[in-house]
Amino acid sequence: MSRYARLAFTKNVRGVQEERGSAEAMARLLARDTEEPDRLGPDEADFIMARDGLSWTTRTPPG
């Protein structure tokens, strides 16, 4: 499982993914078994570089 998936796909998140039909699409992230950092690809890097700023937000179950 990727480091991102380990942090982001909590039990509650996996439940919502199942309910909304996206669990299979996320399976490839869950299948990765690595401790390597998740890297940005060229598409993500280009997207970020085209912006004037970047906002990084998080969400927890309580809100």
Side-chain angles (χ1 to χ4, degrees):
M1 176 183 313
S2 76
R3 291 171 63 188
Y4 170 79
R6 191 172 26 252
L7 291 172
F9 297 161
T10 64
K11 180 180 176 184
N12 290 339
V13 169
R14 291 294 296 149
V16 171
Q17 288 173 344
E18 290 286 339
E19 290 171 11
R20 297 188 179 185
S22 63
E24 285 186 39
M26 297 292 109
R28 65 182 176 84
L29 290 176
L30 294 171
R32 289 176 51 197
D33 186 18
T34 182
E35 287 297 317
E36 292 292 318
D38 296 313
R39 305 254 183 229
L40 296 178
D43 291 339
E44 294 88 359
D46 289 345
F47 176 84
I48 292 170
M49 290 176 62
R51 307 277 110 31
D52 291 331
L54 180 69
S55 175
W56 194 275
T57 61
T58 62
R59 173 78 194 246
T60 61

